[in-house]
Amino acid sequence: MKFPSFSLLPFLLVVLISLIGAAFADSHGEFLDCFHLRSANSSTVSKVIYLQNSPSYSSVLNASIQNSRFTTPATPKPLVIVTALQLSHVQSTLYCSRKHGLQIRIRSGGHDFEGLSYVSRVPFLILDLLHFRAVEVDVKNEVAWVESGATLGELYYGIASKTKTLAFPAGVCHTVGIGGHFSGGGYGILLRKYGLAADHVIDAQLMDARGRILDRKSMGEDLFWAIRGGGGNTFGIVLAWKIKLVQVPAVVTVYTVNKNLEQNVVKILHRWQYIAHQLPDDLFTDVTITKVNSSGQVGKKTVQAAFKALYLGGADKLIPLVQDRFPELELTKQDCLEMSWAESVLYFGGVPTQSLEIMLNRTALPRLTFKAKSDYVKQPIPESGLQGIMSRFLEKEADVSLMLMVGFGGKMDEIPENELPYPHRAGNLFQASYLVGWTKGEDEGKYISWIRRLYSYMASYASKLPREAYFNYRDLDIGTNNVGYTSYEQASVWGLKYFKNNFKRLVQVKTMVDPTNFFGNEQSVPPLPSPWKKKGD
């Protein structure tokens, strides 16, 4: 065989690229024609479809991207964005994307740590659920319906505007989208009292790959189990969730006590590991490790641990409890603040307590450029191990970084690990999460290298066989699917870390409801191959 001369290669590459570009252009052009044909009211199409040459394309794309790491010119962009206004738009998006070979990415809040709700390696479109954000709260029956495009803040505001004694056990970042948070096993500061958000989902409205709208009864208990922690963008499009609200006192108490290297933080943190998971269920605690300026010497850095807590009750009961169980912290009345549960969410989210209306602001928080990883810890880390963590936070690359340690126990110890796809229940002292950030435009390599070194260091202290990870803190370092066929064995590399033995059941459900893997991405549960289909097909 005679190969083309090197002088012809640039020409051939140009031709190849132009052919690929033309094919992509045909795909989204055909998609647009298909969408028009399926729309009863064609005048609405221009209000929900954004092509790359649309004037508002970039602003719509970037509006919900929460990690600036995925806003570079090199980041793959969707050929089409659909901001659906009604169910028929969602059905048309499914039908036309399948017909014309475009992968679909579903976005609710845009907080996916690896950008998988708005980035793909193959030609794709984004179905943005921004307009599916209704919240209906029924105080009398202590339930609510919330659509997937709503944020946690919008849900919390809807609850708090009607009652101070009902809440919901989800996260503290009020701009996070409901769809991804619930479907990925999200939790928050009511974790030890009530468990995960998904533990309190009692019904859902899902559109499957065929465009059918299903509720809990019509989808069946296997699929209903899978969507409550098995991951978004995997089994279908969950449009809305019915949730059971939980009871909280009208007044709760929070505190933050900071300790640094000069204040014996290693010994205090070592002690925290032994008591955090054994505290009463009404008391939630976490610790955030960061690098800060030393108060004793100008220009010197130290490492600080911020010990935070939420107590479902007043300060008069909290203070003697902590002084008895955790005297090393030296908690005082001045450290404590009493407030409503909704205000405590803003407190833990780092938002200065003001009018609760800030919960309705989807862009209230600054956007970071970051990489994150996660672990679960089942045995206390010795003081020498904690010293090693502290030394790594004094490295130059750790200027914008943190390690979050969330105390488990309580309700989490009572729920079987196969109750839902999220398996990290009894036996965990705490979840550890690591994050490093940098200024957009900087060389990210040295920062990602730093967090990978920290993660490698933590291998001695984290869970083993598998080394567990939290699905909602997505991390592509632990394994990915192929663009085409992915075997069960390959997907198990990351799947067992997120789901442990529940991964096998998730694969069975996926095979049943989406055998062609229409809802696929780099870390979606894959279906088993059909017995008559070759693996390479």
Side-chain angles (χ1 to χ4, degrees), residues 342-448:
E343 290 170 333
S344 76
V345 171
L346 294 176
Y347 177 87
F348 269 82
V351 180
T353 304
Q354 47 184 287
S355 169
L356 292 182
E357 289 186 357
I358 196 171
M359 288 184 163
L360 302 177
N361 187 340
R362 300 171 74 102
T363 60
L365 301 178
R367 297 182 183 181
L368 301 175
T369 307
F370 68 91
K371 168 69 179 175
K373 303 178 80 67
S374 65
D375 267 321
Y376 289 85
V377 178
K378 301 177 186 296
Q379 298 293 331
I381 302 171
E383 289 187 23
S384 59
L386 295 174
Q387 289 282 9
I389 294 171
M390 300 296 169
S391 66
R392 280 157 177 79
F393 272 85
L394 288 173
E395 295 174 4
K396 184 178 180 181
E397 295 83 4
D399 284 350
V400 182
S401 64
L402 64 83
M403 176 175 172
L404 176 64
M405 305 161 71
V406 175
F408 269 42
K411 185 68 173 179
M412 293 295 280
D413 280 349
E414 301 172 10
I415 302 173
E417 68 175 38
N418 63 353
E419 180 75 13
L420 293 180
Y422 180 102
H424 319 289
R425 305 284 192 168
N428 290 297
L429 300 183
F430 59 90
Q431 182 195 314
S433 306
Y434 325 101
L435 183 146
V436 64
W438 57 92
T439 302
K440 185 179 179 181
E442 278 191 283
D443 177 16
E444 65 179 40
K446 61 182 179 181
Y447 299 101
I448 293 178

Side-chain angles (χ1 to χ4, degrees), residues 112-114 116 372 470-475 498 521 523:
D112 188 292
F113 280 10
E114 295 281 12
L116 298 192
Y470 177 34
F471 183 86
N472 265 358
Y473 289 174
R474 183 102 66 172
D475 180 9
Y498 288 139
N521 63 51
Q523 278 187 348

Side-chain angles (χ1 to χ4, degrees), residues 168-171 180-188 191 195-199 229 422 470 472:
F168 192 69
H181 189 70
F182 285 12
S183 66
Y187 68 85
L191 171 83
L196 310 176
D199 290 325
Y422 180 102
Y470 177 34
N472 265 358

